[in-house]
């Protein structure tokens, strides 16, 4: 059977790590984090390419390595790495704005550009961009984060249409997913009052688990989801 390689960015912790653990027996994994030391537990069947996505030059090097070292067998990419730097827009520094734009939006765009070049030749491949419920609802003090996540949704839908515009027949799918409140490092640093606000708004009356997001990603990569394309899939327990 042909080797199928899957890139997971931000795979050292939280949702990305759960996705890596879920996929490790099915695919050969290319894992990413800011540096190799971020990985505290070994994941079978994997190699690592590290890069700080807030630095566009590191993203360029990352994309070149992805194509050169794994392009031949690349089956899917999961753009999961992301940062929140919550603040009022009034006080948000340009440095923090740039960091969120670069890590959450520009790096995924550049990685998708690399992947689309590969997938377009092979006429096959899957892209999953990890957005957020905040990209749809908006949230006070998360305006830049919300903008990056909403941007990913529109970008993903556009790429799905572009794959169709460039090819008569193809099996390229581009999706985004929008997790709600998932228990990870990212959400553990929120103030208690904010956590309670979310909790009260979740119909399921519990926070989401990283493993539940990993299950969704695993399904979206599978042949069983071959007709799911160009859409944004929410996984939030009913968060209104
Ligand atoms: N948790 C939630 O409730 C939630 C909800 C909606 C959407 N999301 C989205 O889901 C994704 C994963 O979230 P999470 O909660 O699992 O986050 P997390 O636990 O904070 O993990 C973040 C991951 O991103 C990597 N990362 C951070 N800064 C980076 C940078 N400058 N360059 C490259 N990589 C960087 C981290 O690598 P290091 O370990 O090296 O720092 C880590 O692997 C994010 O895109 C987030 O926006 C999360």
């Amino acid at each position: 059977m042909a080797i199928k390689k899957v890139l997971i960015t931000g795979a050292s912790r939280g949702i990305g790590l759960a996705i890596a653990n879920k996929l490790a027996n099915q695919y050969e994994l290319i894992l990413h984090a800011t540096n190799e030391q971020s990985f505290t537990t070994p994941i079978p069947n994997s190699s690592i390419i590290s890069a700080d996505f807030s630095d566009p030059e590191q993203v360029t090097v990352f994309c070149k390595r992805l194509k050169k070292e794994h392009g031949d067998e690349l089956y899917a990419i999961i753009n999961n790495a992301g940062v929140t730097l919550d603040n009022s827009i009034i006080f948000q520094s340009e440095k923090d704005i740039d960091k969120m734009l670069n890590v959450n939006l520009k790096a995924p765009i550049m990685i998708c550009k690399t992947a689309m070049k590969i997938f377009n030749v092979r006429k096959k491949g899957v892209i999953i961009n990890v957005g957020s419920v905040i990209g749809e609802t908006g949230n006070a003090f998360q305006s830049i984060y919300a903008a990056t996540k909403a941007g990913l949704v529109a970008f993903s839908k556009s790429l799905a249409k572009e794959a169709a515009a460039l090819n008569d027949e193809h099996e390229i799918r581009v999706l985004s997913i929008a997790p709600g409140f998932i228990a990870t490092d990212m959400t553990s640093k929120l103030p208690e009052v904010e956590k309670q606000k979310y909790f009260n708004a979740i119909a399921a009356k519990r926070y989401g688990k990283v493993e539940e997001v990993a299950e969704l990603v695993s399904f979206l990569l599978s042949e069983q989801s071959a007709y799911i394309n160009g859409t944004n899939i929410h996984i939030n327990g009913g968060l209104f």
Side-chain angles (χ1 to χ4, degrees):
M1 209 168 70
I3 295 171
K4 280 183 166 180
K5 290 189 177 178
V6 177
L7 166 72
I8 308 165
T9 70
S12 54
R13 295 187 272 129
I15 292 171
L17 178 59
I19 295 171
N21 283 323
K22 175 71 192 170
L23 301 183
N25 293 327
Q26 284 170 273
Y27 304 96
E28 213 168 295
L29 302 181
I30 310 150
L31 305 177
H32 154 272
T34 54
N35 59 73
E36 298 218 3
Q37 289 69 44
S38 298
F39 291 91
T40 51
T41 50
I43 293 170
N45 226 5
S46 67
S47 58
I48 294 171
I49 312 181
S50 55
D52 182 343
F53 289 165
S54 62
D55 175 1
E57 283 180 21
Q58 290 195 37
V59 177
T60 303
V61 174
F62 177 90
C63 289
K64 280 188 182 150
R65 283 193 61 188
L66 178 67
K67 186 162 185 280
K68 189 162 179 248
E69 295 169 27
H70 303 286
D72 288 348
E73 288 146 341
L74 193 66
Y75 167 67
I77 60 167
I78 300 150
N79 276 313
N80 165 76
V83 284
T84 48
L85 296 161
D86 298 358
N87 209 338
S88 163
I89 190 66
I90 296 168
F91 303 111
Q92 193 109 55
S93 68
E94 191 170 351
K95 185 165 165 271
D96 283 358
I97 293 172
D98 282 343
K99 182 164 183 178
M100 283 185 276
L101 291 173
N102 281 329
V103 176
N104 297 359
L105 188 57
K106 190 169 178 198
I109 287 173
M110 298 310 289
I111 297 165
C112 283
K113 178 179 158 79
T114 305
M116 283 297 275
K117 279 188 198 164
I118 296 165
F119 295 167
N120 205 46
V121 172
R122 206 176 303 145
K123 313 225 173 287
K124 194 175 174 73
V126 184
I127 292 175
I128 299 175
N129 290 318
V130 179
S132 168
V133 66
I134 301 302
E136 175 142 326
T137 60
N139 198 25
F141 312 115
Q142 287 197 313
S143 58
I144 311 302
Y145 178 76
T148 63
K149 295 302 188 178
L152 274 184
V153 174
F155 176 68
S156 307
K157 288 181 179 174
S158 302
L159 282 197
K161 291 189 176 186
E162 201 166 308
L166 292 173
N167 297 288
D168 289 335
E169 283 186 26
H170 71 94
E171 292 173 41
I172 300 169
R173 294 186 294 127
V174 188
L175 295 154
S176 56
I177 63 168
F181 190 114
I182 312 296
T184 67
D185 290 351
M186 186 176 271
T187 42
S188 70
K189 66 186 182 198
L190 288 171
E192 272 313 312
V193 60
E194 189 75 4
K195 286 186 199 169
Q196 197 57 46
K197 186 188 91 182
Y198 277 111
F199 191 87
N200 294 340
I202 300 169
K205 287 293 161 208
R206 66 172 176 84
Y207 300 132
K209 299 176 192 152
V210 289
E211 293 81 7
E212 291 173 314
V213 182
E215 282 292 339
L216 173 63
V217 169
S218 174
F219 173 68
L220 293 175
L221 289 186
S222 71
E223 294 295 330
Q224 284 70 37
S225 70
Y227 206 56
I228 304 177
N229 191 13
T231 192
N232 182 39
I233 297 177
H234 288 271
I235 173 161
N236 61 28
L239 171 54
F240 308 110

